[in-house]
Amino acid sequence: MMFLNDLVTIDKAADTAVYLQIANAIIQAIRRGRLRSRSKLPGSRELANALNVHRKTTVAAYEELLAQGWLEMIPRKGTFVVQDLPEIKPRKLKQAETSVAYPEKTIFSIDEKRFVQFPALGFPDTKKLIINDGFPDMRLLPNELFLRELRSMGKQPAFKKYNMYGRAEGTDYLRDTLASFLRETRGLPISAANVMITRGAQMGIYMAASLLLKPGDQVIVGEPSYFAATLTFQQAGASINRVPVDESGLAIDAVERLCQTKKIRLLYVIPHHHHPTTVTLSPERRIRLLELAATYKFALIEDDYDYDFHYTSNPVLPMASLDHHGSVIYIGTLSKTLVPAIRIGFIVAPENFIKAVANLRMGIDRQGDSMMEVAIAELYRNGTIGRHIRKVVNIYRERRDHFSALLTENLGQRVSFRIPDGGMSVWTRFNYSDLRTVSAKAFQKGLIMSDGQRYNTGTINYNSARLGFASLNLAEQERAIDIIVKCL
Ligand SMILES: Cc1ncc(COP(=O)(O)O)c(C=O)c1O
């Protein structure tokens, strides 16, 4: 028995359960040869007394070791270390001892030029202040509620069915939940059959582009537009036609002129808060756009990535809520509603489109993470997500107002912007200073901000950036503006 007190140290404050601490210590002792194969272990009661823990704990530790195959129970004799330890010892492919370095490059060629280059996203883990493009404040997500939900669902036997392969369209539970949520909050006359769960909006854009576009197909986007969508259409071989964006959104007359001269296959629009300019497409233009889609029979991708974040009056309902004769592919995401790392988005479309896109998914992703989908559905159903949205909308409204006031008071004529009705950023044009220089100087002074290059389309240099106000509290905003002022 000496080994017990010697080898097993229990830390009751540790995160690892006590029975696992005991089991792990015994495994270590076996691995190090201090407990040899075929040696007998004390009974669970004896072990419990020696370690001063409850007997249930030592029984659980032994059960764990028996299940893993470290111990065996011999009837009427007791518990023993097994003869053949459950450790895999791979056989060498070659007898000679050679140490190899992993190759730096493939021996075969890769035609990287076949693919468009997406600008690297992701943010450095840095102490510097960051004004991002317009992302939510990670600090506000109620992580503990989210994890508690997963834990409590994990305990329910019915939850186990989600361990099996599921549907490419997503779990029915979340499709159904989202269908009612979108019916109630955005007026979409849909059922679960019209919903496909994706890993974020980008996957929806990618799959719609892959399904619809052949090389040479004509696509309309705004000037400017969301760069990642444009790149995705270009990747599919499409020819990009850009139409101006003014205070009322996409210029519909220009769309109509294009339709009269070219066979348009797809139009991409972000009507609620256009990316990057944040303008809202007016109701009149929405109706005209739907009429054009019906007349010229093109597909209309309505990217509604930040619908939940509107700060004035009532938001305009999506085009997908009207009778669109099957032209609209409506795309949404939880990247802004919750956080970008929870990769859940959705496509809403006529059933034939959902079926085709689900088939397409089978070749690359097969399905999403069912457990995450079910937990998210539960958080919608029990009201957690609704409460979170209401709470952060109030916080972001205050942050938007504070940030806009800071821009006016501190930067005056040196920038132009309009206060956005929604979203998480202010589209800010720098009137006299080159944004690349400002951004480089800001970096030296401890602030990371966009240099605006990704919005430039080749023909126009906007010298503008989306300055994300939502993820900075008021004091951080003041520090950021202070630095920008010093850089101008
Ligand atoms: C207009 C627009 N659409 C789609 C996306 C992509 O969102 P997701 O993270 O859901 O892929 C973004 C991300 O910022 C966006 O701005």
Side-chain angles (χ1 to χ4, degrees):
M1 285 297 289
M2 62 61 67
F3 84 91
L4 293 171
N5 303 322
D6 191 20
L7 299 181
V8 182
T9 320
I10 293 169
D11 176 2
K12 291 205 166 142
D15 283 343
T16 313
V18 172
Y19 84 94
L20 278 181
Q21 292 183 38
I22 299 172
N24 290 342
I26 293 176
I27 293 172
Q28 281 301 327
I30 299 173
R31 279 200 174 122
R32 292 190 180 141
R34 298 186 73 178
L35 261 178
R36 296 186 175 282
S37 292
R38 297 212 166 278
S39 46
K40 185 172 180 194
L41 276 94
S44 56
R45 193 185 307 277
E46 199 184 342
L47 184 60
N49 289 340
L51 297 178
N52 200 17
V53 295
H54 198 280
R55 183 162 167 239
K56 273 191 190 159
T57 309
T58 50
V59 169
Y62 278 177
E63 275 170 1
E64 177 68 26
L65 292 164
L66 287 164
Q68 285 190 33
W70 294 98
L71 302 184
E72 64 182 335
M73 193 107 83
I74 301 183
R76 288 188 299 281
K77 288 196 174 152
T79 309
F80 294 82
V81 177
V82 292
Q83 183 166 14
D84 296 322
L85 300 183
E87 301 225 81
I88 294 168
K89 294 201 190 88
R91 278 183 293 147
K92 282 200 178 120
L93 282 172
K94 277 187 184 173
Q95 279 317 312
E97 265 312 316
T98 47
S99 69
V100 289
Y102 203 74
E104 270 176 34
K105 287 209 162 136
T106 55
I107 197 170
F108 45 84
S109 62
I110 300 174
D111 186 2
E112 289 161 36
K113 299 220 170 62
R114 266 176 58 219
F115 301 98
V116 295
Q117 281 297 312
F118 284 84
L121 275 179
F123 285 89
D125 194 5
T126 166
K127 297 246 166 351
K128 284 188 176 17
L129 199 55
I130 301 177
I131 296 197
N132 59 38
D133 242 35
F135 301 137
D137 188 339
M138 308 301 128
R139 297 167 294 193
L140 300 178
L141 180 78
N143 282 76
E144 66 295 344
L145 294 181
F146 176 70
L147 293 171
R148 199 186 304 154
E149 195 57 54
L150 269 175
R151 203 173 304 129
S152 85
M153 295 195 82
K155 286 187 191 139
Q156 296 165 25
F159 193 66
K160 294 275 187 273
K161 72 173 181 226
Y162 296 109
N163 289 338
M164 188 26 93
Y165 281 119
R167 285 168 175 273
E169 290 91 336
T171 51
D172 286 344
Y173 196 51
L174 182 57
R175 295 170 79 204
D176 211 43
T177 307
L178 275 176
S180 7
F181 177 78
L182 296 172
R183 262 197 318 266
E184 281 157 28
T185 59
R186 307 189 194 178
L188 307 194
I190 54 167
S191 73
N194 302 112
V195 181
M196 153 126 183
I197 311 298
T198 59
R199 295 187 196 269
Q202 182 60 33
M203 182 178 186
I205 296 169
Y206 178 85
M207 289 202 302
S210 311
L211 194 65
L212 295 175
L213 299 176
K214 291 193 303 304
D217 278 351
Q218 302 294 328
V219 170
I220 297 180
V221 300
E223 169 64 87
S225 188
Y226 178 46
F227 59 92
T230 310
L231 285 170
T232 306
F233 304 139
Q234 283 170 332
Q235 179 61 59
S239 282
I240 304 294
N241 301 271
R242 298 179 194 273
V243 300
V245 175
D246 60 29
E247 311 78 66
S248 306
L250 215 56
I252 304 301
D253 289 339
V255 173
E256 184 159 22
R257 279 196 297 277
L258 272 171
C259 291
Q260 286 159 354
T261 54
K262 292 180 178 178
K263 172 76 192 132
I264 301 299
R265 175 68 167 150
L266 185 148
L267 182 144
Y268 171 78
V269 64
I270 316 142
H272 206 44
H273 312 116
H274 174 256
H275 186 128
T277 67
T278 76
V279 297
T280 301
L281 187 64
S282 68
E284 301 72 37
R285 289 195 185 181
R286 290 177 194 227
I287 291 164
R288 273 195 67 202
L289 197 48
L290 286 178
E291 285 165 2
L292 287 177
T295 310
Y296 293 99
K297 297 197 170 40
F298 57 77
L300 210 165
I301 295 188
E302 179 172 24
D303 180 349
D304 215 359
Y305 76 113
D306 65 355
Y307 183 88
D308 294 321
F309 299 96
H310 203 75
Y311 311 122
T312 47
S313 62
N314 291 329
V316 186
L317 283 178
M319 289 181 283
S321 68
L322 296 176
D323 183 8
H324 54 78
H325 308 287
S327 60
V328 177
I329 300 156
Y330 182 76
I331 290 179
T333 177
L334 297 192
S335 287
K336 305 292 178 289
T337 310
L338 298 177
V339 286
I342 295 179
R343 300 304 301 159
I344 297 224
F346 50 88
I347 301 178
V348 172
E351 258 185 87
N352 68 325
F353 187 87
I354 297 294
K355 283 195 177 124
V357 110
N359 178 54
L360 188 66
R361 182 188 203 159
M362 299 285 282
I364 179 162
D365 187 40
R366 212 191 173 287
Q367 66 173 81
D369 297 325
S370 308
M371 293 196 202
M372 177 69 97
E373 291 179 14
V374 175
I376 292 288
E378 205 51 44
L379 291 174
Y380 267 110
R381 285 174 188 238
N382 68 24
T384 306
I385 292 185
R387 281 194 298 280
H388 175 68
I389 295 172
R390 282 191 291 280
K391 199 177 109 195
V392 292
V393 161
N394 286 332
I395 296 173
Y396 294 162
R397 183 188 294 106
E398 187 193 14
R399 290 184 180 181
R400 175 202 64 168
D401 293 344
H402 189 70
F403 192 72
S404 307
L406 286 174
L407 282 177
T408 308
E409 285 159 20
N410 295 282
L411 296 170
Q413 300 301 313
R414 287 177 285 182
V415 293
S416 309
F417 69 97
R418 55 178 278 290
I419 301 175
D421 291 339
M424 299 186 177
S425 59
V426 178
W427 175 239
T428 312
R429 184 184 154 79
F430 286 71
N431 290 330
Y432 312 121
S433 316
D434 177 36
L435 191 47
R436 276 174 308 183
T437 317
V438 178
S439 160
K441 281 192 193 166
F443 188 81
Q444 297 303 327
K445 295 184 194 300
L447 173 70
I448 298 180
M449 65 179 282
S450 166
D451 63 3
Q453 292 306 297
R454 69 172 58 142
Y455 310 111
N456 295 341
T457 49
T459 41
I460 301 182
N461 174 7
Y462 289 96
N463 205 39
S464 304
R466 278 163 64 88
L467 300 182
F469 55 80
S471 54
L472 300 177
N473 63 32
L474 306 191
E476 289 164 340
Q477 290 184 354
E478 284 158 24
R479 272 172 50 214
I481 294 292
D482 213 39
I483 294 177
I484 296 179
V485 169
K486 292 195 179 109
C487 298
L488 294 182

